Amino acid sequence: MSRIEKRFKEIKAKKKKAFIAYICAGDPDLATTKRLVLEFDKAGVDIIELGVPFSDPLADGPTIQRASQRALKKRVNLPKIFLLIKELRKNTEMPLVLMIYYNLIYDYGVNKFVRDAKGSGADGVIVPDLIPEEADELVFVSRAYDFNTIFLAAPTSTKERIRLIANKSTGFIYYVSLTGVTGARKSLSGHVREHIREIKHITKKPICVGFGVSTPKQVRQLSRFCDGVIVGSAIINKLEKNIKNKNRAIKEAAAFVKSLAKGVK
Amino acid sequence: MRPDKKGYFGDFGGKYIPETLMAALKELTNEYEKAKSNKHFKKELDYYLREYAGRPTSLYFAKNLTKALGGAKIYLKREDLCHTGAHKINNTLGQGLLAVKMKKPRIIAETGAGQHGVATAAVGALFGLKCDVYMGTEDIKRQSLNVFRMKLLGARVFPVSSGSKTLKDATNEAIRDWVTNVRTTHYIIGSVVGPHPYPAMVRDFQAVIGEETKAQLKAVKVKEPDYLVACVGGGSNSIGLFHPFFKSKAKFIGVEAAGISIKSGKHAATMLKGRVGILHGSKSFLLQDKDGQVQVAHSISAGLDYPGVGPEHSYYKDTKRAKYVSVTDKEALAGFKLLSETEGIIPALESAHAISYLRRLARRTKKSQVIVVCLSGRGDKDIDIVKEII
C-alpha cells in the first residue's frame, strides 16, 4: 500500500476528508520548497502535490505559470527534485505526488522516471496533459513499482470516460471542478456536487476536487461530498506576495494552509 | 495515408491534452468524419474555395527564375493569390463550416505571422461567428499590418506576453481559452499540429494545393514533378502540396528556418536539431533543452518561428519520404529579393525560405526536370521588416 492509499485509509477511519496542497518545486528555490513541505506537514496537510516546472504549462493559469517560470530560472529539473524528495524523506512521511507535464516524463524516459521517482520517495504522479488512452506505458511501469497514477476527470467527461479514468487511477481520482485552467476563482460551479455523485456510483476510489478552489469556506463546502480538496494557486498567491522575504512567505503560506486544512477537519 | 485509430502517423501524433477537451475532440472527429463523406459539405466548401477564396490558384511557370538559376523548370503554386494572402484560408473555410455545423457560435485561433489570424477573422465575419485571435507580442510588433486587418474584420486580438512571446505561446494561450470555453468555442488550429484529428483534418483541407497542382501539371503535359519544395513551420502548406503526391516518385523537400544560424542556437530547425517530444497535443520532433524544456525558436519569419512540427512531417522524416533542409534569415532575404526582381512577385518571408533553397537545388538538376514550389503567401505583410534590413 502506498503512502497515499494509507493516508486515505486513516482519514476514512476518522470519517474525515483529505486536504491536498500544491506547490511548485523550486519556487522560488528548492530550499524554500523543502521548508514549505515540512511546515505544511505541521499545518495539517494530508498530501502534497509537487509541481515540476515546465516551459509550456498549458493546463495552468497565470499564477502557476509564474511559479514555473521562477523555478525554471533556478534551473530546477527532475534530478534536483528527486534529490529534494530524498532529503525530505529523512524528515517526513507526507505523501508526495508529482504534478508533471508529459514531455518531461517522456524525455526523461518513462521507465527511468517511475524508477527514480519511486526510488527517491515520491508516491505517485498526476499528468495534466495525459489521458488514459495515451498512458499505457506509464500505467504499466507504475504498477510494477507500486507507484500511483492519478488521472483527471473533467466536467465534460462522459460516464464511459469516467469508468476508464477510474480504472486507470490508483491512490485517488482528481476531479477538475471547472472547464478551464488552474487558478483561484471567487465562486465554484454548482454542477460539481451532482457530477461527483454520479462518479461515486461508478467507482469506490477516493475523489478529490481541485482547480479554482481558494478559500477555507470553499474547502469546507466541497469536502461535504468528495474525499479530498486540492488548493494550489491560492497558496502560491500568498507565497508570491512575500517572495522577497522567504521566512515571512513560508510563515504566511503555512498559516493560510492551516486555515484551509481546518475546512476538512 | 490515414493516421491509425489513435491518431498516429507511425510513432507520431496522438492526443496529449487535458481530459476536459476529450469531449470536444470526439465531437470534432465525428463531425469531420461525417463531413468528409457528405457530398453537400464538399459542394459547399468547394463553392467557398472557388467564389470566396479565388481557387484554383494558378500554377505559374517562373520562366525568369528558371533562367536565372539555370536548372530544372520551376513552377510556382500561387497560394499567395488566395483571398487574405496565403494558403491559410483553405483550412479556415473548412473548419469554419464545421464550426457552423457543430453550432459553435465562437471561433478562436493562434497566429504567428498573422496570416492564419486574418484567414480565421475573415471566416468569422463570413459565417457570422465571434472570433478571437491570440498572438505573441513580439509578432504583434513585427506583423502589425495583419493585426490591423484582423481588427477590421471584426476579430479581437489578444496579445500574449508569456514565454517566447511568439507562436508557441500564442498556441498555449489559445488552448487555455479552449479548455475554458470548450462548450461554445471551436479552436481553429492553423497548421497540421495539435491533437488528433487536427493534423489529418488540416492536411485534408490543405491537400487542395497538391490536388490542383497535379491536374495543372497534367494540363502542361508534365507526368510527374521531380521535386516538390515548400517551407515548414508547423507544416501545413508543405503537407498540402506533398500529400496528394505521396505515392508518386516526386522528391519532397521541406525547408525549415535556420534563423541566424544553426550553430548560434537561434533557429527554428526542428527536424535538424529537435528530438521527439510532446507539445500542443501531439508527439513529434521538438526543439528542447537537455531537461525537456521546450526551447524558444527564432526566425525572421513569424510563421516559421515555432519549435514544433506536425506529426505527419515527423513520419515523413522518419521514413525518409521527405528531406528537410534549412535556410537562414539572410538566405531567405536573398530569396525574397530574387523572386521580387526576377518575376515581379513579392513572397512572404516564410515562402521566401522555399524560394531561397532553389538556389541550392536548381544547380543540381537537369533542365528537363520539374520543380514545383509552394508560394504559400504574399509578402505585403513583411515589407516593414525587410525595409529595415535591406
Side-chain angles (χ1 to χ4, degrees):
Chain A
M1 198 185 287
S2 75
R3 286 188 190 87
I4 299 168
E5 289 155 335
K6 221 185 284 171
R7 181 63 53 103
F8 272 107
K9 214 177 148 190
E10 290 161 13
I11 292 169
K12 212 173 171 190
K14 288 191 220 154
K15 295 206 161 59
K16 296 271 162 71
K17 303 297 170 69
F19 176 70
I20 304 174
Y22 169 97
I23 45 174
C24 177
D27 169 32
D29 52 52
L30 286 166
T32 306
T33 304
K34 186 179 168 190
R35 288 174 61 194
L36 280 170
V37 171
L38 298 174
E39 286 300 318
F40 284 9
D41 197 353
K42 286 187 239 161
V45 172
D46 296 298
I47 297 170
I48 287 178
E49 260 183 49
L50 265 187
V52 180
F54 183 49
S55 54
D56 297 81
L58 52 78
D60 286 303
T63 303
I64 294 180
Q65 288 176 44
R66 285 196 301 271
S68 296
Q69 282 307 316
R70 284 192 293 269
L72 285 178
K73 259 192 203 146
K74 290 276 155 74
R75 303 205 154 269
V76 168
N77 58 15
L78 276 174
K80 288 181 189 169
I81 292 172
F82 292 149
L83 273 178
L84 167 77
I85 296 173
K86 230 177 233 172
E87 277 293 306
L88 279 165
R89 279 289 168 246
K90 293 178 186 161
N91 300 303
T92 177
E93 279 301 299
M94 169 73 76
L96 295 171
V97 184
L98 293 168
M99 178 103 167
I100 178 171
Y101 285 86
Y102 194 56
N103 191 54
L104 298 177
I105 297 179
Y106 182 80
D107 195 56
Y108 193 86
V110 175
N111 191 69
K112 194 173 151 227
F113 166 79
V114 175
R115 185 196 66 198
D116 291 356
K118 180 76 184 184
S120 73
D123 303 291
V125 65
I126 303 170
V127 191
D129 59 346
L130 192 69
I131 52 171
E133 286 92 329
E134 299 286 2
D136 287 351
E137 192 185 0
L138 181 66
V139 169
F140 180 79
V141 177
S142 296
R143 293 296 168 276
Y145 283 94
D146 191 23
F147 189 64
N148 288 154
T149 51
I150 294 134
F151 286 92
L152 297 101
T156 51
S157 301
T158 56
K159 268 189 189 160
E160 198 188 354
R161 294 201 56 76
I162 297 282
R163 243 175 243 121
L164 176 70
I165 289 160
N167 188 269
K168 300 280 180 176
S169 293
T170 54
F172 64 94
I173 296 161
Y174 191 133
Y175 180 78
V176 177
S177 80
L178 44 81
T179 57
V181 293
T182 58
R185 312 283 205 285
K186 284 207 176 82
S187 63
L188 290 167
S189 157
H191 298 291
V192 178
R193 183 177 200 151
E194 215 175 299
H195 204 187
I196 287 186
R197 195 176 293 152
E198 281 175 33
I199 301 173
K200 288 259 174 205
H201 283 300
I202 297 172
T203 178
K204 293 216 154 39
K205 289 177 184 168
I207 300 160
C208 301
V209 180
F211 280 45
V213 191
S214 57
T215 66
K217 195 176 155 201
Q218 288 172 333
V219 172
R220 199 173 325 119
Q221 282 170 348
L222 285 169
S223 69
R224 285 190 200 124
F225 48 86
C226 64
D227 304 293
V229 184
I230 306 158
V231 177
S233 296
I235 298 171
I236 292 172
N237 284 336
K238 295 275 172 206
L239 277 174
E240 208 170 38
K241 254 200 206 152
N242 298 298
I243 202 84
K244 296 243 158 76
N245 183 343
K246 282 169 202 155
N247 286 334
R248 193 157 153 202
I250 292 166
K251 208 173 136 194
E252 288 195 7
F256 178 58
V257 159
K258 199 170 180 178
S259 72
L260 290 167
K262 265 192 193 148
V264 301
K265 304 296 168 190
Chain B
M1 77 172 279
R2 305 286 326 151
D4 69 14
K5 263 196 185 144
K6 288 180 78 182
Y8 280 84
F9 300 92
D11 292 333
F12 309 100
K15 285 185 266 204
Y16 295 87
I17 43 142
E19 168 66 23
T20 310
L21 295 176
M22 274 306 283
L25 280 185
K26 196 169 174 204
E27 184 188 11
L28 179 62
T29 306
N30 290 343
E31 202 63 48
Y32 179 58
E33 287 303 319
K34 252 191 342 205
K36 251 194 328 197
S37 52
N38 181 328
K39 272 190 195 143
H40 180 73
F41 181 87
K42 194 175 168 346
K43 226 173 128 185
E44 206 179 356
L45 179 58
D46 283 348
Y47 166 81
Y48 284 109
L49 287 174
R50 189 176 65 240
E51 303 295 332
Y52 186 74
R55 302 206 72 90
T57 58
S58 69
L59 183 72
Y60 168 69
F61 173 51
K63 203 168 96 189
N64 300 337
L65 182 65
T66 299
K67 206 174 153 196
L69 297 179
K73 288 196 190 76
I74 298 167
Y75 285 86
L76 304 176
K77 181 58 178 163
R78 297 289 307 274
E79 294 301 297
D80 61 316
L81 296 177
C82 284
H83 174 49
T84 68
H87 71 292
K88 295 291 186 188
I89 192 83
N90 305 330
N91 169 46
T92 59
L93 278 170
Q95 287 200 51
L97 282 173
L98 285 178
V100 172
K101 303 253 177 282
M102 292 187 290
K103 299 194 170 59
K104 304 269 184 181
R106 177 174 178 256
I107 49 177
I108 56 169
E110 83 295 339
T111 197
Q115 290 303 116
H116 175 57
V118 170
T120 306
V123 162
L126 177 65
F127 296 143
L129 305 168
K130 204 172 163 233
C131 176
D132 290 328
V133 179
Y134 290 90
M135 190 169 186
T137 48
E138 182 66 29
D139 292 338
I140 286 179
K141 249 192 282 166
R142 56 179 165 169
Q143 308 274 223
S144 59
L145 177 68
N146 274 344
V147 177
F148 186 59
R149 288 170 80 203
M150 284 183 259
K151 287 180 179 165
L152 275 176
L153 294 166
R156 290 189 295 182
V157 180
F158 293 125
V160 178
S161 57
S162 53
S164 61
K165 305 175 173 54
T166 59
L167 182 54
K168 167 179 83 87
D169 293 274
T171 307
N172 288 341
E173 217 44 48
I175 293 174
R176 290 181 186 120
D177 179 317
W178 193 31
V179 173
T180 308
N181 303 297
V182 61
R183 291 185 173 105
T184 58
T185 299
H186 172 61
Y187 177 20
I188 300 191
I189 296 184
S191 193
V192 287
V193 300
H196 177 67
Y198 281 101
M201 179 178 70
V202 175
R203 189 266 322 266
D204 290 348
F205 287 138
Q206 291 296 359
V208 66
I209 301 172
E211 278 151 15
E212 283 179 8
T213 301
K214 227 173 185 178
Q216 287 163 326
L217 283 173
K218 215 168 162 189
V220 294
K221 306 225 157 41
V222 175
K223 230 172 106 196
E224 214 171 70
D226 297 279
Y227 295 93
L228 300 177
V229 181
C231 63
V232 178
S236 71
N237 88 83
S238 44
I239 280 282
L241 175 65
F242 296 168
H243 177 65
F245 291 92
F246 184 73
K247 287 189 176 142
S248 79
K249 288 201 180 92
K251 292 192 172 75
F252 299 169
I253 300 175
V255 185
E256 292 190 303
I260 291 171
S261 72
I262 298 289
K263 243 175 142 181
S264 72
K266 291 191 169 173
H267 59 78
T270 308
M271 290 299 196
L272 198 67
K273 286 287 167 185
R275 58 180 193 276
V276 180
I278 287 110
L279 181 69
H280 298 149
S282 59
K283 185 187 286 180
S284 197
F285 279 88
L286 178 64
L287 290 175
Q288 46 188 330
D289 71 10
K290 65 170 184 33
D291 292 329
Q293 305 293 348
V294 181
Q295 270 173 340
V296 173
H298 169 88
S299 169
I300 189 171
S301 92
L304 302 183
D305 199 347
Y306 185 66
V309 66
E312 195 170 4
H313 278 292
S314 291
Y315 174 74
Y316 278 9
K317 175 188 155 86
D318 208 37
T319 56
K320 300 197 165 61
R321 179 63 190 89
K323 182 177 150 187
Y324 294 86
V325 298
S326 65
V327 156
T328 63
D329 290 349
K330 234 186 197 164
E331 292 170 311
L333 281 168
F336 186 92
K337 275 183 78 176
L338 176 67
L339 191 66
S340 302
E341 286 166 7
T342 55
E343 296 290 350
I345 299 170
I346 301 175
L349 276 173
E350 289 76 15
S351 326
H353 284 73
I355 299 291
S356 179
Y357 181 70
L358 296 177
R359 298 182 307 154
R360 269 186 257 164
L361 177 66
R363 84 170 86 95
R364 301 199 309 263
T365 56
K366 291 189 223 115
K367 286 194 168 148
S368 59
Q369 289 183 304
V370 168
I371 303 173
V372 176
V373 190
C374 188
L375 193 63
S376 55
R378 58 177 175 246
D380 311 35
K381 68 182 177 66
D382 296 317
I383 298 300
D384 286 341
I385 303 176
V386 176
K387 205 164 70 187
E388 261 178 46
I389 300 169
I390 291 185

